[in-house]
Amino acid sequence: MASTVICHSLNPLSSSSSPRGPSSSHAKNSCDCSLRRHVRRIFLSSSTLGRRISTNGASRKWPINKSYRSGSTCFAASSPSALPSALLFDCDGVLVDTEKDGHRVSFNDTFAERELGVTWDVDLYGELLKIGGGKERMTAYFNKTGWPEKAPKNEEERKHFIASLHKQKTDLFMVLIEKKLLPLRPGVAKLIDQALAKGVKVAVCSTSNEKAVSSIVSCLLGPVRAEKIKIFAGDVVPRKKPDPAIYVLAASTLGVEPSSCVVVEDSAIGLAAAKAAGMKCIVTKSGYTAEEDFVNADAVFDCIGDPPEERFDLAFCGSLLEKQYVS
């Protein structure tokens, strides 16, 4: 089944307040070109064309907020006819945009404290993010550029060296989280609350260290939500994203079918993992992933969003399971 990609800007405006002058028309034409490259035709039922869903046997239109300045389109519905069995979130870049000012800073502080003479700038770290997992990221970098003078010489000792660096980096990162210096992304708490209220299982599936992920969930989402959220992280599986192992494990542990799960990811490797596990996947782009290829995603947004700038809700997640989007 072909996927639908829905593009959004960071600052959507309602159509009633959108400018109608030449600049607005130019922006709209620009976005229309982008949409033509990405958006498949949408058929929301076998008998009715257009943006409609079936609710308790009745036909209901999606409320759509369209900005002519940005060309953004928001999808939300209050009464889904289906719900996911589980809603699975990546952590870094999805719950919190942690990479540039969180993980990268913590890696660099660790390298400095160990006097390794290594610094990862913003662009370099963006490239390194194509490798899933912090330990794997450091190993790949040192294998390519050369190991620091203070690093051990044999392979087994280097594994322990990398593990010790990663533990130190995680401790530094957790300080940032505990101080709440990195906020939740818009709409995250709202969507999790909607899922928990409807009895939908919620989990976080991440290649990051389990302690770091647990700290983000408990500190930023609060202890009440944290008690209800299952965490799959770090070395809980032998192969990390883009391998689907972590999502397969999550579905098995939660006792749900992969095909009934909806994943929220922000990266191409996360998307690949979710789709390989047989799950629906919504991408919410983050600072480092905005230009990545998400053609296989079921939907793409700039964020989840809180009202009045909500991009999608739990009902939209459920609609993806109804095979309403076909080419």
Side-chain angles (χ1 to χ4, degrees):
M1 181 176 66
S3 59
T4 300
V5 180
I6 305 167
C7 303
H8 296 264
S9 73
L10 290 173
N11 298 300
L13 300 172
S14 67
S15 57
S16 62
S17 62
S18 300
R20 301 292 181 175
S23 61
S24 171
S25 175
H26 177 76
K28 181 177 183 298
N29 290 338
S30 176
C31 183
D32 287 345
C33 292
S34 174
L35 290 175
R36 280 197 294 273
R37 288 195 299 269
H38 296 294
V39 181
R40 310 283 188 185
R41 295 186 62 190
I42 301 176
F43 295 85
L44 295 182
S45 76
S46 58
S47 60
T48 305
L49 298 182
R51 295 183 177 88
R52 290 180 177 270
I53 59 172
S54 177
T55 307
N56 298 325
S59 180
R60 179 188 294 270
K61 290 185 178 181
W62 286 103
I64 297 174
N65 176 18
K66 189 169 185 179
S67 164
Y68 289 94
R69 175 180 296 179
S70 64
S72 63
T73 306
C74 302
F75 287 84
S78 58
S79 302
S81 55
L83 288 173
S85 296
L87 193 59
L88 310 178
F89 293 84
D90 178 36
C91 181
D92 299 306
V94 172
L95 300 184
V96 186
D97 205 346
T98 54
E99 299 294 4
K100 181 170 73 73
D101 298 318
H103 287 296
R104 185 185 67 87
V105 170
S106 300
F107 274 118
N108 285 337
D109 287 347
T110 299
F111 298 152
E113 289 181 11
R114 292 290 190 97
E115 298 180 338
L116 300 183
V118 174
T119 301
W120 287 349
D121 64 26
V122 171
D123 292 337
L124 172 59
Y125 192 68
E127 289 298 313
L128 291 170
L129 285 176
K130 295 175 183 178
I131 303 166
K135 292 189 291 291
E136 293 80 358
R137 202 168 293 146
M138 285 188 286
T139 300
Y141 173 79
F142 291 140
N143 281 340
K144 181 177 181 180
T145 64
W147 287 76
E149 286 294 324
K150 293 188 176 183
K153 303 304 178 185
N154 73 64
E155 185 175 348
E156 193 60 31
E157 289 179 347
R158 281 177 173 177
K159 287 182 180 179
H160 292 294
F161 174 71
I162 289 292
S164 70
L165 288 177
H166 196 260
K167 181 182 183 303
Q168 184 172 344
K169 169 259 172 187
T170 298
D171 291 342
L172 293 171
F173 176 77
M174 288 176 64
V175 171
L176 296 178
I177 297 302
E178 289 165 1
K179 290 181 177 179
K180 297 187 177 180
L181 298 177
L182 300 170
L184 287 172
R185 294 193 66 193
V188 168
K190 172 213 71 178
L191 185 59
I192 288 175
D193 287 344
Q194 289 176 350
L196 294 176
K198 293 291 186 179
V200 175
K201 296 177 180 179
V202 177
V204 177
C205 302
S206 172
T207 61
S208 289
N209 179 276
E210 190 274 337
K211 285 177 63 178
V213 176
S214 294
S215 181
I216 287 173
V217 172
S218 61
C219 290
L220 300 185
L221 284 167
V224 175
R225 294 189 186 100
E227 288 180 359
K228 303 173 184 178
I229 298 173
K230 182 72 174 178
I231 293 174
F232 302 89
D235 297 322
V236 69
V237 290
R239 297 175 304 279
K240 297 185 177 180
K241 302 173 187 178
D243 191 281
I246 197 164
Y247 285 123
V248 173
L249 175 65
S252 174
T253 303
L254 295 173
V256 298
E257 290 295 324
S259 60
S260 69
C261 298
V262 174
V263 175
V264 183
E265 272 282 0
D266 77 307
S267 67
I269 62 172
L271 168 62
K275 300 306 288 184
M279 300 177 177
K280 299 294 183 184
C281 186
I282 300 171
V283 169
T284 55
K285 296 180 180 182
S286 63
Y288 271 117
T289 67
E291 302 305 319
E292 291 186 11
D293 182 2
F294 299 121
V295 68
N296 291 324
D298 294 282
V300 175
F301 298 88
D302 62 342
C303 65
I304 298 169
D306 287 306
E309 297 184 346
E310 182 179 58
R311 309 308 198 260
F312 67 94
D313 61 2
L314 182 64
F316 178 79
C317 297
S319 76
L320 295 178
L321 302 175
E322 298 180 315
K323 297 184 178 180
Q324 294 175 318
Y325 300 93
V326 300
S327 60

